[in-house]
Amino acid sequence: MYTYKTKGTCSTEINFEVEDNIIKEVNFIRGCSGNLQGISALIKGMNVDDAIDKLEGIDCKGKGTSCPDQLAKALKEWKNK
């Protein structure tokens, strides 16, 4: 399980597991529960690179980031570890 501390969003942390470059599990701490459960369900089983491509750059209310964008950043950090 990999943990990423978010910046600039209502969620404070993202915990996820990747196996063979496929997302196995994603859990957000805090934030909009229903929306984040939906995002987690949609990307489960997705290739890491495809998830980054789909989520990176999504903005929430002009903050310059969002929970999906933070997940893309977390996945990129995981790839570069």
Side-chain angles (χ1 to χ4, degrees):
M1 189 67 71
Y2 190 81
T3 298
Y4 180 82
K5 299 289 185 184
T6 60
K7 297 162 192 74
T9 59
C10 298
S11 66
T12 56
E13 183 177 288
I14 306 170
N15 299 303
F16 62 93
E17 185 176 346
V18 176
E19 184 179 304
D20 297 325
N21 214 43
I22 301 297
I23 300 164
K24 296 295 182 184
E25 191 69 40
V26 178
N27 294 299
F28 288 84
I29 307 302
R30 298 189 51 152
C32 302
S33 181
N35 289 333
L36 297 175
Q37 286 179 55
I39 291 167
S40 298
L42 288 169
I43 67 162
K44 189 174 181 179
M46 188 179 286
N47 177 284
V48 169
D49 297 312
D50 292 340
I52 291 168
D53 289 344
K54 289 182 182 293
L55 302 175
E56 189 172 39
I58 294 174
D59 183 68
C60 180
K61 299 179 182 177
K63 294 178 183 176
T65 193
S66 65
C67 293
D69 182 60
Q70 288 293 298
L71 178 54
K73 290 180 186 321
L75 292 168
K76 286 175 97 172
E77 182 178 285
W78 173 84
K79 282 184 63 169
N80 294 319
K81 65 172 171 63

